[in-house]
Amino acid sequence: MTVHPQSLFFALAGLHMLDDPRPLSGASIVFVMGKLGVGESAARSVLQRMAAKKFVVRHKEGRKTFYTLSDRGRVILREGQEKMFAGWQPQDWDGRWTFVRIQVPESKRTLRHQMASRLSWAGFAQVDGGPWVAPGQHDVVAILGPEHSEISPIVVYGMPQPPTTDEVLVSSFDLEALAADYEGFGGKWRAVAPASLSPADALVKRVELHFDWLTLTRTDPQLPVVLLPQKWPGAVQGDLFRRLNEGLDEAEKFVLHKLFSGEL
């Protein structure tokens, strides 16, 4: 597994800080991240950055340090959780697409990258370096944020007209690479048996599972089923993720009190 300290922390926080009001022990965070290949100094550096960005709130109890999510942190993690568990759009999609054209001056490259990242996260793809497209209706103003006023986007919602077809628009999404990533996820996780793991190992394994799945869902546009290839591997791996998540959740319960108290 490629180690991404901040993303691993997001996975851990999404699991055990988002819906649990108890503060999480800093020592436990460092322990779990260490089990996933993040050194102690790197883990503590992530916590310092998250506190500086006001993503988490830090407080002391004696010699121990504890962390809770800020309101901003909860909003960000909730967005990620919603995409992780969203699945694919229903089959009753009516055939309409959202088209977005943005023009960002060359002098504002950072803004251009920011707008592209937000559209990609929301399930859009760029057609031949031109407009961005996504099936269904999307609130583009909310996706782009307040910065939309700097780029004056043109947004159209409707059905493509000949010679443009749904297939042409779908080809803008790299589904072949995404399918290979899903197959890789299955190859790694299908042999994992939660019942065979100790509670502590199950806890660590569940963080890794969420990290891997979030990495996948970040790049998945979650197209309507009718636009996906037959036997789409994402559906099979989605079932695998949910099954493993439930099994690991059950297996880790006996050690959660140690996670929050810092006794791991």
Side-chain angles (χ1 to χ4, degrees):
M1 180 183 72
T2 303
V3 176
H4 297 283
Q6 182 169 296
S7 296
L8 283 171
F9 171 74
F10 286 159
L12 174 60
L15 276 170
H16 296 298
M17 298 176 76
L18 184 56
D19 295 314
D20 197 313
R22 291 176 293 177
L24 190 59
S25 159
S28 291
I29 295 172
V30 171
F31 171 83
V32 173
M33 293 180 71
K35 288 289 187 180
L36 293 168
V38 180
E40 180 177 350
S41 60
R44 295 195 183 280
S45 177
V46 167
L47 289 174
Q48 289 174 357
R49 289 201 306 274
M50 292 297 97
K53 293 179 179 180
K54 302 188 185 305
F55 185 90
V56 296
V57 178
R58 178 173 51 197
H59 73 275
K60 288 272 193 179
E61 292 184 16
R63 299 181 63 182
K64 292 184 178 181
T65 304
F66 291 85
Y67 296 85
T68 54
L69 289 174
S70 66
D71 290 342
R72 175 174 176 268
R74 290 185 189 282
V75 169
I76 293 172
L77 285 184
R78 186 67 68 192
E79 290 177 356
Q81 287 264 310
E82 288 174 355
K83 191 164 186 181
M84 282 180 71
F85 291 98
W88 290 273
Q89 296 184 35
Q91 296 203 47
D92 60 359
W93 170 65
D94 65 3
R96 289 187 286 181
W97 295 70
T98 298
F99 299 79
V100 182
R101 178 176 176 268
I102 59 175
Q103 287 186 306
V104 184
E106 184 67 24
S107 59
K108 297 184 176 181
R109 291 185 179 181
T110 300
L111 179 61
R112 177 186 299 172
H113 175 74
Q114 188 178 56
M115 297 298 98
S117 295
R118 291 178 182 176
L119 287 167
S120 180
W121 167 255
F124 282 78
Q126 194 169 20
V127 182
D128 296 329
W132 292 80
V133 298
Q137 189 170 17
H138 297 261
D139 186 346
V140 175
V141 169
I143 291 169
L144 297 180
E147 293 83 1
H148 79 274
S149 61
E150 299 183 44
I151 58 176
S152 301
I154 295 174
V155 182
V156 177
Y157 175 58
M159 299 183 71
Q161 300 298 305
T164 304
T165 63
D166 290 337
E167 289 73 23
V168 168
L169 298 181
V170 169
S171 68
S172 302
F173 299 87
D174 194 351
L175 295 183
E176 186 175 337
L178 183 59
D181 289 341
Y182 273 119
E183 294 290 2
F185 177 89
K188 173 180 178 178
W189 288 99
R190 67 172 59 98
V192 173
S196 68
L197 300 173
S198 70
D201 287 341
L203 188 152
V204 172
K205 206 69 175 173
R206 191 171 177 227
V207 173
E208 184 180 353
L209 174 70
H210 275 240
F211 167 80
D212 284 357
W213 191 247
L214 181 58
T215 301
L216 266 176
T217 54
R218 283 184 67 87
T219 60
D220 190 340
Q222 297 176 343
L223 301 178
V225 174
V226 295
L227 296 179
L228 293 170
Q230 289 188 347
K231 298 182 179 179
W232 176 242
V236 175
Q237 306 313 332
D239 290 340
L240 173 63
F241 166 75
R242 285 183 284 273
R243 188 168 64 252
L244 283 177
N245 183 51
E246 290 176 3
L248 292 169
D249 180 30
E250 183 64 29
E252 74 177 13
K253 285 182 178 178
F254 301 102
V255 78
L256 287 182
H257 65 286
K258 291 186 177 181
L259 174 73
F260 286 95
S261 65
E263 298 173 5
L264 280 175

